[in-house]
């Protein structure tokens, strides 16, 4: 008799729940079980058909598991892996969905010890403004990127298995080292979050904040949308990736100081050069992103 | 015989064209004429039914005009008003749609001299990502704010007339002094534009820019959307409002330096406090904006 394929989701919210729903649709696993801190969330995930059952214990969950996805705030990764370790048998692969990778890899090495080869680090570049199992949807990863940052200890077939599982969700696999990953996301994600939070905090702290917010319009809305994200989650990311983030922040501060100089001296040509360079890059980027998304949609339909 | 009501639009693009279309729908004017630097744009505006005709000269345009709207980049305001002045008769009111007000008022005083009382400065808080007469739409100002910054030389009835005309477009009138206006928009609009331009310029200048742009996702897209705006227009605004903008930029830089300190010392509680304060303010703002927009929509339907 063929063994039942079993998936364990640690954290059945938006990210873990969408992974489960996508794989259920593909019949990639016969059994999907959830573990997590909140019983209410696990009950809800079962009602929504995300998991078949909440495991009674980590031991029970890991029994016969093929794949475990950790989809919890990054600061919890080490504790979850430490719980898993005693029950982690050869043949079970663990992956994660954390937004930072260098710290996650370090945490995994501490928590898993000699079993580190069974952990394949990953990061799906997808999300929604909502959280929790109710927000989960089978198409969340369709056409999105998933970045794997494999370890030298990983078996090639295990990395390929994790990649193929994400591909079954409709995602496109990319590979970076953990350090490359963190440097890239410090620039294009973590720094913008910090900047947006800082701007809203700055405005909210002014004596005439109410007047200011009254006249804030659509440009402000788009610029600050990411400042509505979870402060706990972003505190964790900020701390976990603080070295790369500091480097990006300092480069940006230097750029702002240079622009400030042009403002003081009234150097319109220099200001326009910066703005025009940015506009050109922004337009090129949106054209290439839109054409990539179009290819994915067409590929998905063929 | 009742005199024909006549509107002159100087700059028949998105802003001026939408004003004309809205007022035509309300039958607020019997005759709408356009003036501008580009003949092709005036021809297109006529084809689109925005204006009845392109005036052969400024003199002809101003002949019997009740209202003139200047809807051109702010740096051109003084030159346009200087062209208008010799033909500006008592009873004609001039207003504008510029994004800055202190410099526009100073330019108007220089250009109009003793006729300054006929100029009522204004700024509609509305826009689209597209420009030009093709982008004009009669509903652009529906439920949007228009800020008037009246001068001591203005007659009360003239300010009320300009306000009533914008109200006929569906807009809600607010009043600020030119200095208040510029301080508010430096914070909620001009600074975010500068920050978004600076971020994209910063990333585009890095040796691994291509890699970075490849992984930029929806948070980056929203944060940098305003960096796709016209560099010329925003250079003008940046220079025209540089004093207020510098003040906001310096306050923001101080806030970033403080956050940088928390990053260096790994002060997670302080980082979370800033992020949580920003998130709370951002959520409160979006709730109040949405409820105001809902009221406008319901008001418009009743």
């Amino acid at each position: 008799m063929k063994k039942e394929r079993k998936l364990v989701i640690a954290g059945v919210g938006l990210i873990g729940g969408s992974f489960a729903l996508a794989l259920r649709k593909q019949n990639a696993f016969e059994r999907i079980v959830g573990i997590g801190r909140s019983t209410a969330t696990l009950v809800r995930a079962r009602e929504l058909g995300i998991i078949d059952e909440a495991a009674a214990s980590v031991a029970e969950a890991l029994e016969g598991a093929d794949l475990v996805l950790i989809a919890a705030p990054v600061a919890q990764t080490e504790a979850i892996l430490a719980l898993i370790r005693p029950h982690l048998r050869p043949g079970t692969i663990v992956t994660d969905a954390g937004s930072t990778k260098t710290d996650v890899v370090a945490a995994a090495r501490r928590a898993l010890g000699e079993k580190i080869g069974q952990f394949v680090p990953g990061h799906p570049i997808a999300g929604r403004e909502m959280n929790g199992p109710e927000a989960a949807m089978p198409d969340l990863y369709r056409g999105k990127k998933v970045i794997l940052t494999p370890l030298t200890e990983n078996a090639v077939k295990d990395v390929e298995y994790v990649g193929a599982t994400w591909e079954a969700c409709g995602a496109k696999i990319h590979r970076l080292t953990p350090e490359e990953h963190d440097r890239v996301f410090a620039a294009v994600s973590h720094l913008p979050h910090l900047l947006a939070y800082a701007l809203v905090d700055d405005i909210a702290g002014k004596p005439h904040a109410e007047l200011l917010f009254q006249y804030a319009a659509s440009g402000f809305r788009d610029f600050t949308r990411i400042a509505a994200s979870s402060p706990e989650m972003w505190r964790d990311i900020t701390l976990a990736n603080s070295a790369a983030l500091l480097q990006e922040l300092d480069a940006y501060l230097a750029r702002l100081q240079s622009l400030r100089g042009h403002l003081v001296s009234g150097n319109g040509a220099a200001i326009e050069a910066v703005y025009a360079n940015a506009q050109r890059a922004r337009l090129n980027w949106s054209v290439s992103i839109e054409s990539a998304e179009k290819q994915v949609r067409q590929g998905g339909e063929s």
Side-chain angles (χ1 to χ4, degrees), chain A:
Chain A
M1 197 183 94
K2 197 165 170 298
K3 182 193 161 297
E4 191 183 61
R5 290 164 303 179
K6 183 177 177 184
L7 171 66
V8 179
I9 306 283
V12 290
L14 167 67
I15 296 299
S18 296
F19 186 72
L21 287 175
L23 293 169
R24 186 180 290 288
K25 214 170 151 185
Q26 299 292 323
N27 293 313
F29 293 92
E30 276 83 32
R31 189 137 201 85
I32 302 181
V33 307
I35 53 176
R37 290 180 305 179
S38 156
T39 309
T41 303
L42 288 165
V43 168
R44 191 75 192 105
R46 192 179 164 184
E47 285 168 2
L48 291 164
I50 292 171
I51 53 175
D52 296 303
E53 59 173 335
S57 65
V58 175
E60 188 193 287
L62 270 284
E63 171 75 42
D66 296 276
L67 182 66
V68 180
L69 173 76
I70 300 176
V74 286
Q76 295 172 34
T77 311
E78 184 164 357
I80 295 169
L81 288 172
L83 287 173
I84 286 173
R85 178 181 183 176
H87 313 289
L88 183 60
R89 268 161 269 185
T92 301
I93 300 167
V94 183
T95 187
D96 81 312
S99 301
T100 55
K101 294 271 73 73
T102 314
D103 71 307
V104 161
V105 169
R109 289 191 189 283
R110 287 191 300 268
L112 293 180
E114 78 291 350
K115 295 183 180 175
I116 186 65
Q118 290 173 251
F119 179 68
V120 180
H123 175 203
I125 314 305
R128 300 178 65 191
E129 284 180 49
M130 293 167 289
N131 288 304
E134 278 84 2
M137 44 190 272
D139 287 341
L140 185 68
Y141 304 114
R142 172 135 226 99
K144 296 302 194 304
K145 297 184 181 74
V146 170
I147 297 168
L148 300 183
T149 64
L151 308 177
T152 49
E153 293 90 341
N154 290 149
V156 169
K157 70 164 178 39
D158 291 350
V159 177
E160 282 170 357
Y161 171 71
V162 172
T165 309
W166 278 114
E167 280 171 348
C169 301
K172 209 166 145 33
I173 304 303
H174 292 244
R175 290 196 192 189
L176 295 172
T177 68
E179 294 72 26
E180 281 171 342
H181 171 280
D182 286 0
R183 213 159 45 105
V184 165
F185 287 89
V188 301
S189 170
H190 309 169
L191 179 62
H193 275 81
L194 182 146
L195 298 178
Y197 278 129
L199 184 78
V200 180
D201 181 56
D202 181 30
I203 291 179
K206 290 181 195 280
H208 57 306
E210 210 174 321
L211 181 72
L212 296 176
F213 281 124
Q214 189 186 346
Y215 293 108
S218 62
F220 177 85
R221 185 188 60 216
D222 291 344
F223 185 89
T224 62
R225 197 187 308 276
I226 50 184
S229 310
S230 155
E232 298 76 16
M233 176 179 158
W234 283 93
R235 176 206 58 198
D236 283 2
I237 292 172
T238 301
L239 290 174
N241 199 23
S242 64
L245 182 52
L246 263 173
Q247 222 175 321
E248 296 305 325
L249 176 58
D250 285 344
Y252 183 70
L253 285 169
R255 195 63 57 136
L256 286 186
Q257 285 297 348
S258 147
L259 255 176
R260 186 185 185 284
H262 300 324
L263 243 78
V264 170
S265 63
N267 189 343
I271 294 168
E272 188 178 354
V274 170
Y275 288 6
N277 187 44
Q279 187 207 33
R280 195 165 39 241
R282 179 60 173 69
L283 293 175
N284 287 344
W285 174 76
S286 60
V287 166
S288 72
I289 284 287
E290 274 159 26
S291 108
E293 282 176 359
K294 203 172 160 191
Q295 277 175 11
V296 165
R297 277 198 303 275
Q298 288 172 343
E301 282 159 22
S302 69

